[in-house]
Amino acid sequence: MLEIKATTESLRKIIRLSVKHSLTVDDEVYAAFDRIPRMTKIENFNYTLRTFQSEGVAWLEKQGGTGILADEPGTGKTVQVIAFAHKNHMFPMLVVCPNTLKLNWRNEIIAMTGQLYRINVVGKEYSKRQTLRRAERHPNVIYSKVPTAGCDIYIVNYDILAANVDEFEALGLRYMAVDESHKIKNPEAKRTKAMLRLAVGEWDEKQRGGQRKRIKVGDGIQAVTLMSGTPAVSRPVEMWTSVQTVAPWVPEFSKFTRFGFRYCGAQQNGHGWDFTGATNTGELNSLLTRHCMLRRLKADVLQELPPKIYRTLPLEFDRREYDRIAAAFKGINWQAGMQAIVRMGGNVPKSDEAIVAIQKLREMAGYAKLDSAVEWIQDYCETNSKLVVFAHNRKIIERVKNALEEAPEYANAVGVIYGGITDDARADAVSNFQNDPRVRVIIIGITAGGFGLTLTSASAVAFLQLPWTPGEISQCMDRVHRIGQEANQVTCYNLVAEGTIEEEMSEMLFAKGQI
């Protein structure tokens, strides 16, 4: 009889080989994984995990880091991945995410691990002055156009992943986390091929006549966590790349034809095979949850979650104009001026030098980040979720609306409410947002619509500009968090221009709100 030491890795290999070759696995093998310790406190980790999050970390350990973490948005996928990497020292590590989330990943890692790890944010270099300023705030973070060898954690956005794939391969990466992984649903996209090359060392290349050729260049990282609250946005075929990445040893996931004919309602349409349908979905869900996917809904863990979650997301922007204005106001006592505005709810003398400077820089920051803010809104709504956006300035509201509507999918999909619109237009905007699935975003002036509205078809709000009191923030959130809201939790996203007065204002307001 062959005896194998019962380590987590050996048990995992036994299970995968048995599944691949349709062999029976004793229940005791699966039960052994239940003995992986669930830890809410991890040494040198500055966050106490909730019980379900500690179970998520144990699940990642059982999987060797390879699987689809599909918990519903707002349940803390990021903290589970960072905790797993930290606990098991899965470095060097690569984080692939949308451009608008790179700095959020940086902030989350620092919040949980301090300066323990050297972080490289890849994709952009800064002026010498900006580099020094950033180094003062985060001495363990460097910024570069291409990966810099010798770091523990690399953060890169999807758009430039393919251009840097050779450099990333040379780093000897141990672990990769792919955030918002539904973005790799198209197997022909450059980003998808680059991800597959890094993850498993091979990818499919479409040939003439529709045939596919497997290109193999190496073994890949192998430990890959795909993260998405909506792993399949609308149909099973969108999961093909994901299952191909994390569970090719499952027979039903081994070849596209097998997966497509079994789960994608394959039909001939006169031009070839159409795989946009859905069949045997119960079986697919069973295979996913048994072998490679962990999904918990907010309803499942409601007792552990607060009803409202606040997240501040720093956004990059072109700093030249903002820094020029900031230099002109150099020497002004920002802290005292900001504290006065927050303390008095914005009702302060407009002639005060500090107040004038703060208001001007706040306005500059609001405009400067708009391109990044629009990109973030599009990323959020890509999963068919609705979003309520708040701002003060009418011009900012109109610019965001116009920028969104440049994309065909946002035509007639953006509502607005601000001072001066008629009561009928206001009622129509609310009704359309609540009842028309095509209307995905409503942008509201805080003074005009921060009260008296019911917008429960969304479960999240985003602030482009914050009001001056925590009470107003709460009032705005309660447009969504009220009777009729089917979600168990509402998330507030505070979109701030990184390294500007908006960050200081945000910290003060939310600290005051806690009091």
Side-chain angles (χ1 to χ4, degrees):
M1 178 182 290
L2 178 64
E3 292 188 4
I4 300 174
K5 189 176 181 180
T7 64
T8 302
E9 183 178 358
S10 64
L11 291 173
R12 186 166 52 244
K13 288 179 178 178
I14 289 170
I15 289 173
R16 293 181 180 180
L17 281 170
S18 300
V19 171
K20 182 176 181 179
H21 297 290
S22 302
L23 302 175
T24 301
V25 180
D26 193 285
D27 288 341
E28 183 58 30
V29 175
Y30 287 104
F33 285 121
D34 293 333
R35 293 192 281 272
I36 295 174
R38 274 64 172 164
M39 301 173 63
T40 56
K41 287 293 292 180
I42 301 172
E43 187 176 358
N44 296 323
F45 194 72
N46 307 324
Y47 181 87
T48 300
L49 298 174
R50 301 180 188 276
T51 301
F52 77 91
Q53 292 170 337
S54 68
E55 291 171 353
V57 174
W59 179 83
L60 285 169
E61 290 182 280
K62 165 193 163 185
Q63 298 289 128
T66 297
I68 304 169
L69 185 57
D71 288 347
E72 193 174 8
T75 51
K77 292 187 290 295
T78 303
V79 68
Q80 293 174 69
V81 165
I82 298 171
F84 164 74
H86 169 78
K87 182 171 182 267
N88 296 277
H89 202 72
M90 301 293 288
F91 306 109
M93 169 187 179
L94 172 64
V95 175
V96 182
C97 62
N99 187 50
T100 53
L101 295 182
K102 287 200 295 186
L103 299 184
N104 182 64
W105 268 94
R106 177 203 66 188
N107 288 359
E108 294 280 339
I109 294 166
I110 292 172
M112 294 171 203
T113 62
Q115 297 180 23
L116 193 58
Y117 301 114
R118 195 173 189 216
I119 303 167
N120 182 196
V121 181
V122 181
K124 187 175 181 179
E125 289 180 325
Y126 294 93
S127 66
K128 186 177 289 186
R129 178 183 173 189
Q130 274 297 317
T131 299
L132 290 172
R133 184 181 298 176
R134 287 166 179 270
E136 288 176 2
R137 186 166 189 181
H138 303 303
N140 58 322
V141 183
I142 60 173
Y143 305 83
S144 57
K145 280 195 173 182
V146 297
T148 302
C151 293
D152 300 299
I153 303 173
Y154 298 86
I155 305 172
V156 66
N157 53 299
Y158 281 100
D159 299 329
I160 62 170
L161 180 64
N164 292 276
V165 68
D166 290 331
E167 289 81 0
F168 282 123
E169 275 187 328
L171 295 172
L173 298 167
R174 286 196 63 200
Y175 180 46
M176 178 162 69
V178 183
D179 198 2
E180 305 294 353
S181 60
H182 50 269
K183 287 183 172 291
I184 55 154
K185 62 188 177 184
N186 179 6
E188 308 305 326
K190 288 182 179 180
R191 66 173 63 169
T192 303
K193 293 175 182 177
M195 189 282 298
L196 284 169
R197 176 174 164 182
L198 287 170
V200 295
E202 54 187 285
W203 69 96
D204 282 344
E205 198 71 64
K206 201 169 186 177
Q207 308 293 304
R208 286 185 179 180
Q211 297 296 314
R212 293 175 178 270
K213 182 180 179 182
R214 196 70 172 166
I215 309 295
K216 185 173 178 61
V217 295
D219 294 328
I221 299 169
Q222 296 302 327
V224 182
T225 301
L226 306 182
M227 306 163 61
S228 177
T230 52
V233 175
S234 57
R235 52 184 69 92
V237 72
E238 295 170 350
M239 289 208 69
W240 164 244
T241 302
S242 296
V243 299
Q244 179 189 23
T245 303
V246 301
W249 41 272
V250 177
E252 291 83 356
F253 302 162
S254 59
K255 294 182 179 179
F256 177 75
T257 50
R258 189 165 184 175
F259 181 86
F261 279 93
R262 184 69 183 161
Y263 305 115
C264 304
Q267 295 183 35
Q268 283 192 309
N269 58 13
H271 302 285
W273 287 97
D274 179 4
F275 293 99
T276 58
T279 45
N280 302 306
T281 53
E283 176 185 299
L284 175 58
N285 181 65
S286 178
L287 284 172
L288 287 168
T289 53
R290 182 167 178 79
H291 297 303
C292 63
M293 186 175 80
L294 179 64
R295 179 166 176 80
R296 278 83 57 88
L297 304 179
K298 289 176 185 171
D300 301 330
V301 295
L302 181 61
Q303 68 279 6
E304 297 189 55
L305 293 175
K308 296 179 183 177
I309 287 182
Y310 298 87
R311 293 184 63 191
T312 294
L313 300 179
L315 301 177
E316 292 186 297
F317 65 101
D318 186 336
R319 305 194 58 90
R320 287 173 293 185
E321 187 63 16
Y322 180 88
D323 287 345
R324 186 181 68 80
I325 300 298
F329 290 121
K330 188 176 181 181
I332 291 174
N333 189 340
W334 300 107
Q335 192 76 13
M338 186 72 71
Q339 286 173 349
I341 297 177
V342 171
R343 185 176 63 252
M344 301 177 70
N347 298 315
V348 293
K350 304 299 182 186
S351 58
D352 183 275
E353 183 182 36
I355 306 305
V356 171
I358 289 167
Q359 297 284 33
K360 181 62 178 177
L361 285 173
R362 184 183 179 219
E363 180 184 345
M364 292 294 301
Y367 281 112
K369 69 186 179 189
L370 286 190
D371 287 346
S372 291
V374 169
E375 183 181 347
W376 182 88
I377 291 169
Q378 290 171 328
D379 283 341
Y380 181 88
C381 293
E382 187 177 312
T383 59
N384 296 322
S385 299
K386 292 197 175 197
L387 183 67
V388 179
V389 179
F390 285 101
H392 264 303
N393 190 296
R394 176 171 174 169
K395 288 183 179 178
I396 283 180
I397 293 172
E398 290 175 339
R399 280 182 56 174
V400 171
K401 179 179 187 292
N402 293 338
L404 285 170
E405 289 180 339
E406 288 178 3
E409 62 267 31
Y410 284 91
N412 301 314
V414 184
V416 293
I417 294 176
Y418 46 62
I421 71 168
T422 67
D423 290 343
D424 287 344
R426 177 187 175 101
D428 287 345
V430 171
S431 177
N432 291 338
F433 183 76
Q434 285 287 87
N435 302 307
D436 188 342
R438 295 172 299 176
V439 179
R440 304 159 80 179
V441 182
I442 188 167
I443 314 172
I444 300 175
I446 291 170
T447 303
F451 57 92
L453 301 178
T454 295
L455 300 166
T456 50
S457 63
S459 60
V461 303
F463 283 95
L464 292 176
Q465 295 173 298
L466 285 174
W468 282 114
T469 68
E472 288 177 282
I473 295 173
S474 183
Q475 279 277 1
C476 290
M477 284 196 71
D478 285 344
R479 301 313 96 218
V480 174
H481 188 263
R482 59 196 299 110
I483 293 173
Q485 176 57 258
E486 295 183 2
N488 297 310
Q489 180 189 64
V490 171
T491 304
C492 168
Y493 297 97
N494 176 26
L495 309 181
V496 301
E498 196 221 6
T500 70
I501 201 166
E502 286 190 333
E503 285 191 320
E504 187 171 348
M505 175 183 173
S506 175
E507 289 169 5
M508 285 189 183
L509 275 169
F510 285 109
K512 186 177 180 182
Q514 290 298 314
I515 295 171

